[in-house]
Amino acid sequence: MKGLLVDDDILYLDALRRALTRRGIECEIAADPATALAVATRIAPDFALVDLKLGDASGLSLIEPLRAIRADMRILLVTGYASIATAVEAIKRGADDYLPKPVSADTLQRILLDTETDTAPGAPLPERDEDDTLESPTMIPLHRLEWEHIQQALAETGGNISATARLLGMHRRSLQRKLAKRPGPERRPPTDG
């Protein structure tokens, strides 16, 4: 099995690629849409794991071109900004799965193999490596969900700010201020050593 991992977080990509390689899943990585399409054209992967946010681009825009390269490619969209709106949009565009980020190598392997591995109820999971990413957090901050909802509305209106503001029921300037404040990584309180 060979895959394509697309994310603008290179450290995450490298860690996930190493963990998947140890499980017999060969992967190539790409940090932007143009590179992702070039790699996909060259290797025609069995699956593509695509981040929703790729710098200023959206991973949603990669779904159709990837599907055109290989119709049976399994396309998994991942995001740290999970929302129902983008999940619906991803599935409508042809994604096979929509997962909150970060995704561990174990989780990805189970999804890709569709429980062909020994994952029966009560069966032990494979041991985790130090390079494996952590399972997804259980709670997503409200400002991230709001950001994702705005991005979905922008996609529905073709990027038209005025139409998006009307769709969301807010003033155009308020929307512009929100767009200028892209949410960053969550800060965690320091722990006492």
Side-chain angles (χ1 to χ4, degrees):
M1 180 177 285
K2 59 186 170 186
L4 170 63
L5 308 176
V6 186
D7 197 311
D8 57 357
D9 182 345
I10 300 299
L11 294 176
Y12 172 71
L13 281 182
D14 284 337
L16 187 56
R17 176 175 52 180
R18 282 192 307 270
L20 288 170
T21 299
R22 282 191 291 274
R23 289 162 175 76
I25 301 172
E26 293 301 316
C27 295
E28 294 211 21
I29 61 174
D32 60 78
T35 304
L37 292 175
V39 171
T41 300
R42 181 172 46 83
I43 68 169
D46 298 304
F47 74 92
L49 182 76
V50 181
D51 190 13
L52 177 67
K53 258 329 244 172
L54 297 169
D56 292 334
S58 170
L60 290 171
S61 65
L62 280 174
I63 296 171
E64 290 177 35
L66 287 171
R67 186 72 66 210
I69 291 169
R70 182 172 172 183
D72 66 339
M73 183 187 310
R74 182 100 182 247
I75 300 175
L76 305 98
L77 194 73
V78 295
T79 181
Y81 307 93
S83 74
I84 294 170
T86 50
V88 170
E89 182 65 18
I91 301 304
K92 280 175 29 180
R93 290 190 185 207
D96 296 299
D97 293 286
Y98 180 84
L99 308 165
K101 187 178 176 184
V103 176
S104 73
D106 292 335
T107 300
L108 186 55
Q109 182 180 28
R110 280 193 301 268
I111 290 168
L112 292 172
L113 298 178
D114 278 335
T115 67
E116 287 177 19
T117 57
D118 185 18
T119 56
L125 294 175
E127 287 189 30
R128 296 178 65 94
D129 296 333
E130 65 276 358
D131 288 333
D132 287 355
T133 56
L134 297 175
E135 289 295 329
S136 303
T138 57
M139 197 164 137
I140 298 169
L142 186 56
H143 69 278
R144 285 187 175 214
L145 289 174
E146 178 187 43
W147 174 261
E148 193 57 38
H149 185 65
I150 290 170
Q151 294 303 312
Q152 173 63 32
L154 275 169
E156 288 176 15
T157 61
N160 184 312
I161 299 291
S162 295
T164 301
R166 281 191 301 274
L167 181 66
L168 295 172
M170 67 172 57
H171 194 276
R172 185 176 190 271
R173 279 189 241 166
S174 297
L175 176 59
Q176 287 174 319
R177 279 192 297 273
K178 287 181 182 289
L179 289 171
K181 296 179 185 177
R182 179 178 176 202
E186 292 299 311
R187 294 185 189 156
R188 295 182 188 214
T191 58
D192 291 279

